[in-house]
Amino acid sequence: MLKLIHCEKFRESPVRVSAGFNVVSGDDLATNSIGKSTFLMLVDFAMGGETFLTHNSDVVNELGHHSYFFQFQFDGVDHFFRRDTDKGDLVFVCDHEWKIGRTLNIKEYCDLLRQYYRISDLGLSFRTVASLFTRVWGKENLVTDRPLDIHRKQRAEDALIFVLKLFDKYHELVVLDGELKRVDSEKTALRRAFRENIVPRIGKAQFKKNKLLSQQTTDELEDIKANLARYATNIREITNREVSDIKEQKDLLLKAMAAVDGRLRRLQTSLVDSKHVKSRWFEALKEFFPDVAADRIALVEEFHSDIAKILKREILATEKRLVGESDRINAELRGLDDRLNMLLKNVENPTIIVDRVFELSNLKGIAERENEYYEKEMALNTRVKELRSDLEEMKKIELSVISSEINDVLRSYAERIYGEGRKSPYLSFSKTNYKYEIFEDTGTGKAFANLIFFDWAIFALCPVPFLIHDSLLFKNVENEAVARMMEIYATLGRQTFIAIDEIKKYGEIAEQLIRRHTIVQLSNDAVLYVKDWRK
């Protein structure tokens, strides 16, 4: 825990900090700009925060660069650190006389604090936890209905992950999430292999064809194996089988060729016979009809000419495509003829058996390999869906348990502050977002009170190292409610820091409690630093 903050620029230094409730008190006039929020920001600065250097830049502008010294105590051992405004990304480890030893960068310092505060196992950085529960003017976490947002641009899904980690529920999802990422990565790699044609990709129809082909080739191979001696003396039988297959393929190709040739002939006839109306054909009309409109005749000729050009382009394009198709079919036919000739030439050659076995094995291997990749893709798709569904369901259950725990504590705090029967704020989680609301009560004071309740609930349920609440959270809350809040702050059991002013209006008991826990007393005539630059 933090024990002390020292700065030579403070009006009174050092400032000693207690293990529990710590108050920065203002005056009865609620004077602004005297250093209340600034000191709270310095507590955040001691905890590795950086907002002080940006939001409170006027301090450096007026006082020049200077140093802050922080003393912590963990398990009875004191630790001393120094941080300078002109080297905000560094923290110096000191001895008890503030002599500098080693130097840490800000990440190393925050990792050290995370270790000291024993929150390393949560899977969260120290600043992620500390920043959310440091609610000071100048921070972006003061939106009352978004208490889990550290800054305005935070994604809602990140807030859900944060709360799961904070309640130590995320570890239960990590294994499942890791398996999902592994399977999804394997799926992505397979798709890339398909895209780059490293492995073949087929559809459901081809998968069925491959199954049939694999079975047929297996049957034939088994038949050859069982009857090898018979085939060795009667090779013509195996040759006839293949000849029959080739003839079937040729028949299909010849039918296709006939269809292509027929279309080609019709297209070529269209090209020869296509004519358009010539203007000279209308000359005879003028002998019988002198008044006929020559310009209209010219338009007709132009129209027919344009149509003829368009049709000719389309016919030529189709002709080109059909010629290409005809060439492809002819090439396949030639290949089949060559294969047929080779079979018939070697009808008495025993190697035909070996060739057939090799061909069948190759066909079977290709079909089975294609189907293997297809089945693997289908299995990966199914597994990814299952894992995502399981992960979402587990996440939903864990968030439901967390919201139930938080809402129970919220209800108890609302009753302690406002009495039984008053509605309490309610936290709920959806698949990708969360809501924090109170029904039928949208007042500013109640909204900030709800924000305080939320932090108390998290503080009670999780190992949050400290709370920091600025005076703006109390401004619009009912006086009696604030008075009861002071009693709760004093019993939270861990370090809390608040800034507050006009303490007399909260009643004698609350006033005495606040004065007893005040570590810094500020007023219009006693500001935080040695210089008052309001004037």
Side-chain angles (χ1 to χ4, degrees):
M1 68 172 187
L2 182 65
K3 282 188 67 176
L4 174 149
I5 299 178
H6 166 62
C7 178
E8 293 179 352
K9 302 294 184 180
F10 282 168
R11 180 178 53 84
E12 294 183 2
S13 189
V15 176
R16 301 189 182 279
V17 179
S18 76
F21 188 29
N22 297 275
V23 180
V24 180
S25 294
D27 57 24
D28 293 333
L29 300 176
T31 304
N32 292 322
S33 301
I34 56 178
K36 298 188 301 295
S37 299
T38 301
F39 185 82
L40 295 184
M41 202 70 86
L42 282 171
V43 174
D44 181 62
F45 190 61
M47 302 294 182
E50 299 181 22
T51 312
F52 170 74
L53 296 175
T54 54
H55 181 72
N56 301 91
S57 57
D58 58 319
V59 176
V60 173
N61 292 338
E62 296 294 334
L63 299 176
H65 285 295
H66 51 282
S67 301
Y68 292 92
F69 301 85
F70 312 117
Q71 181 181 352
F72 288 85
Q73 187 177 84
F74 299 100
D75 297 327
V77 179
D78 289 331
H79 303 267
F80 303 87
F81 304 97
R82 168 182 155 183
R83 195 172 178 191
D84 300 342
T85 58
D86 61 338
K87 300 184 185 69
D89 57 338
L90 300 176
V91 178
F92 304 102
V93 181
C94 304
D95 62 15
H96 67 283
E97 294 180 343
W98 303 111
K99 293 179 180 178
I100 295 176
R102 61 195 177 106
T103 302
L104 305 175
N105 62 44
I106 197 65
K107 182 182 182 305
E108 291 170 334
Y109 177 64
C110 290
D111 287 344
L112 190 63
L113 290 179
R114 182 173 69 161
Q115 178 184 337
Y116 285 152
Y117 277 104
R118 297 178 180 175
I119 58 173
S120 300
D121 294 338
L122 296 179
L124 293 167
S125 72
F126 180 78
R127 284 308 306 167
T128 299
V129 179
S131 293
L132 182 63
F133 301 102
T134 300
R135 304 196 191 269
V136 182
W137 174 251
K139 294 276 190 177
E140 295 184 353
N141 59 347
L142 296 169
V143 181
T144 56
D145 61 346
R146 303 294 297 178
L148 287 169
D149 290 8
I150 297 175
H151 51 79
R152 295 188 184 94
K153 295 182 180 180
Q154 178 168 313
R155 296 190 317 142
E157 290 185 29
D158 291 339
L160 301 190
I161 293 174
F162 169 79
V163 78
L164 284 165
K165 289 182 176 181
L166 193 61
F167 277 78
D168 202 17
K169 300 291 186 181
Y170 194 69
H171 292 299
E172 301 171 24
L173 305 176
V174 167
V175 175
L176 199 57
D177 186 57
E179 176 66 8
L180 173 59
K181 287 177 179 176
R182 185 191 67 77
V183 175
D184 201 36
S185 176
E186 191 175 347
K187 176 182 170 183
T188 301
L190 183 60
R191 284 186 173 178
R192 189 179 298 114
F194 286 147
R195 188 169 58 250
E196 301 295 333
N197 294 320
I198 298 172
V199 296
R201 187 178 196 177
I202 61 172
K204 189 174 183 180
Q206 185 62 41
F207 175 78
K208 291 181 178 178
K209 289 180 182 178
N210 283 349
K211 292 269 289 186
L212 180 60
L213 176 61
S214 178
Q215 186 58 52
Q216 289 173 341
T217 53
T218 299
D219 292 344
E220 188 170 348
L221 285 168
E222 289 297 321
D223 183 45
I224 292 173
K225 180 180 177 182
N227 300 283
L228 186 60
R230 179 170 60 85
Y231 281 131
T233 58
N234 189 8
I235 298 172
R236 186 176 297 278
E237 180 178 345
I238 194 169
T239 303
N240 287 341
R241 281 192 190 180
E242 195 163 358
V243 169
S244 178
D245 290 343
I246 292 172
K247 285 182 177 180
E248 287 181 8
Q249 294 177 48
K250 280 193 68 175
D251 288 342
L252 292 174
L253 288 171
L254 288 170
K255 287 180 183 179
M257 176 61 81
V260 170
D261 286 344
R263 290 190 64 190
L264 269 172
R265 284 194 297 273
R266 289 193 294 273
L267 284 174
Q268 289 163 353
T269 301
S270 298
L271 284 171
V272 172
D273 294 341
S274 63
K275 297 179 177 64
H276 59 273
V277 181
K278 305 290 186 181
S279 59
R280 67 175 180 274
W281 296 348
F282 291 97
E283 293 298 326
L285 283 175
K286 293 183 180 180
E287 296 179 13
F288 298 98
F289 304 99
D291 297 329
V292 70
D295 56 342
R296 298 295 296 276
I297 291 173
L299 287 173
V300 170
E301 177 186 359
E302 183 181 353
F303 170 75
H304 283 283
S305 177
D306 290 342
I307 291 296
K309 288 177 182 177
I310 293 170
L311 289 174
K312 186 173 182 179
R313 282 199 300 270
E314 293 182 355
I315 291 170
L316 287 172
T318 304
E319 180 188 30
K320 184 178 179 181
R321 188 170 64 253
L322 289 173
V323 168
E325 181 69 9
S326 176
D327 291 342
R328 184 190 65 78
I329 294 172
N330 278 323
E332 289 192 31
L333 285 169
R334 286 193 298 273
L336 290 175
D337 285 339
D338 291 342
R339 188 175 164 196
L340 187 60
N341 290 333
M342 184 65 68
L343 284 170
L344 295 175
K345 185 191 302 182
N346 296 320
V347 73
E348 300 302 331
N349 187 351
T351 60
I352 193 70
I353 297 176
V354 177
D355 293 341
R356 183 59 176 167
V357 169
F358 175 78
E359 182 182 7
L360 289 171
S361 299
N362 192 44
L363 289 171
K364 182 174 183 289
I366 292 171
E368 291 181 349
R369 189 160 56 252
E370 288 179 348
N371 281 12
E372 179 186 349
Y373 288 122
Y374 175 83
E375 288 175 331
K376 186 171 185 178
E377 183 184 20
M378 294 301 103
L380 287 172
N381 288 341
T382 301
R383 184 60 177 153
V384 166
K385 288 180 182 177
E386 290 174 349
L387 287 170
R388 280 180 179 159
S389 176
D390 293 346
L391 188 62
E392 288 177 4
E393 184 62 25
M394 184 181 290
K395 185 177 174 182
K396 178 182 177 183
I397 292 171
E398 297 295 357
L399 287 172
S400 176
V401 171
I402 291 171
S403 63
S404 179
E405 291 179 2
I406 292 174
N407 287 327
D408 286 344
V409 179
L410 288 171
R411 193 175 303 111
S412 68
Y413 279 130
E415 288 179 354
R416 287 176 65 180
I417 298 301
Y418 292 108
E420 293 186 10
R422 290 288 293 269
K423 291 180 179 179
S424 62
Y426 186 81
L427 178 69
S428 61
F429 295 102
S430 66
K431 182 178 177 181
T432 58
N433 207 342
Y434 73 96
K435 286 184 179 180
Y436 187 60
E437 55 192 338
I438 185 167
F439 304 100
E440 301 175 7
D441 194 336
T442 58
T444 303
K446 196 61 184 293
F448 278 111
N450 291 341
L451 188 58
I452 294 170
F453 294 167
F454 179 85
D455 286 357
W456 286 350
I458 300 298
F459 207 53
L461 297 169
C462 302
V464 176
F466 53 86
L467 289 182
I468 302 177
H469 287 164
D470 206 350
S471 58
L472 68 94
L473 274 67
F474 309 106
K475 290 292 185 183
N476 295 294
V477 181
E478 300 168 11
N479 291 345
E480 291 184 7
V482 173
R484 296 190 188 99
M485 285 179 177
M486 296 302 109
E487 296 175 6
I488 292 177
Y489 275 113
T491 59
L492 288 177
R494 268 171 284 162
Q495 273 192 325
T496 56
F497 300 84
I498 72 165
I500 195 168
D501 45 29
E502 299 180 282
I503 63 175
K504 289 183 178 179
K505 71 179 183 182
Y506 302 122
E508 184 178 349
I509 295 176
E511 180 186 354
Q512 291 177 357
L513 180 63
I514 291 169
R515 292 192 187 282
R516 189 160 61 248
H517 291 279
T518 294
I519 58 172
V520 178
Q521 177 68 61
L522 303 176
S523 68
N524 189 48
D525 298 322
V527 296
L528 178 63
Y529 290 102
V530 293
K531 178 181 178 182
D532 183 356
W533 54 88
R534 296 173 301 166
K535 302 175 182 179

